[in-house]
Amino acid sequence: MGKKNVTKVSATGDPMVVSLASVDQRRLFGPGNIYAKEIELEFPVKLVARGDELRIYGDSDSANKVKDIIEQMIDHIDTGGILSEQALEYAIRMVKRDKPAPSIDSDDRILLTNRHEVIRPRSDGQREYVDAINGNDLVFSIGPAGTGKTYLAVACAVRSLKERHVDRIILVRPAVEADEALGFLPGDLKEKVDPYLRPLYDALYEMLPMGRMEKFIDEGTIEVAPLAYMRGRTLNNSFVILDEAQNTTVRQMKMFLTRLGLNSKAVVTGDITQIDLPTERTSGLIHVQNVLEDIEGIKFVYLDDKDVVRHKLVQDIILAYERFESRNGTE
């Protein structure tokens, strides 16, 4: 976190008061009070904990915003969540934009990671995305890097598998960097495609117990494959994720979508600002938006910079590129 101009606020006047009776203050304020210090750096307030009360000194507007953030932090802890600097930074950004701090309740939980951290949507856009997955058999999630498109889809897939709604998870990605011509690469199929599917593996390793993922792959319960290997198949009782779909051609997208079988759900994710196809090829993800609009059971969800939950600089980078391209045209 960079240095900021800090406005000194004295602990005088009538403070805003938040009850701390139900929360572990060490978890709320972070190691060395790092979360409290960050809030004081971001807002012209002074935080003073006295017994089971937190007193917030400052002008009423700032104090109300900080009260909103603190109460959401307490709710997050009460419902089993683990606080992080990243989550706090996101809440601060939203409040500074005069949007409510991301509300968190137990009904939003998707899954627990191996570190017992709760996976849940952390923005309104992410919440709409997860609701769409729960309520539709085919969902398209389109948005920039860092918005949780792939991670949340994998979490929903693992939950569906654990709750026995599906028998298997199939993770698919176009290997566009190899032009789908994988035969010349050394090794077996898994060794050939692993570099292109690493982000999907990384998410699974966070969500499944040690050794379980390898067992599921050996059994065929989890299958990770390049898009080219989906041709001619029918995918029944499956949760299927097509990642990096901006790099599919129109024909590949049609081929993939017509693989969907009985009792199956598909999620298609992609970022149409990062297309790696040759310029003469139309992205299947752009094309499909016009083809499948207004079909019941299909939902398009559009995420943007407000849904970025990576390092706070990612949001600034996305906005900077958008400004540059609006001035100079897309490369």
Side-chain angles (χ1 to χ4, degrees), residues 247-318:
N247 290 326
T248 62
T249 64
V250 172
R251 290 181 62 188
Q252 286 174 329
M253 178 63 76
K254 180 181 177 182
M255 180 272 289
F256 171 79
L257 296 177
T258 53
R259 301 307 94 204
L260 197 62
L262 297 175
N263 189 41
S264 289
K265 186 184 291 284
V267 178
V268 179
T269 72
D271 177 2
I272 57 176
T273 70
Q274 297 194 42
I275 297 172
D276 298 320
L277 293 170
T279 53
E280 68 273 12
R281 308 294 292 273
T282 300
S283 167
L285 187 57
I286 292 177
H287 180 263
V288 77
Q289 296 174 68
N290 297 319
V291 176
L292 300 183
E293 60 182 351
D294 301 325
I295 296 180
E296 186 175 354
I298 299 177
K299 178 75 172 178
F300 286 86
V301 178
Y302 297 90
L303 304 175
D304 58 27
D305 63 283
K306 296 187 292 297
D307 303 301
V308 172
V309 292
R310 288 183 185 170
H311 193 290
K312 64 180 181 179
L313 283 178
V314 174
Q315 188 178 58
D316 296 334
I317 289 167
I318 291 167

Side-chain angles (χ1 to χ4, degrees), residues 59-106:
D59 65 86
S60 60
D61 181 59
S62 298
N64 271 303
K65 288 179 177 178
V66 169
K67 181 175 183 286
D68 188 18
I69 292 172
I70 295 291
E71 288 177 343
Q72 292 296 337
M73 292 167 68
I74 292 171
D75 288 344
H76 185 57
I77 293 171
D78 286 345
T79 56
I82 297 175
L83 290 175
S84 66
E85 288 187 39
Q86 185 184 54
L88 176 59
E89 287 175 355
Y90 181 77
I92 289 171
R93 289 203 304 270
M94 291 299 99
V95 168
K96 282 192 166 184
R97 291 183 173 195
D98 292 323
K99 295 184 178 293
S103 60
I104 300 169
D105 57 62
S106 57

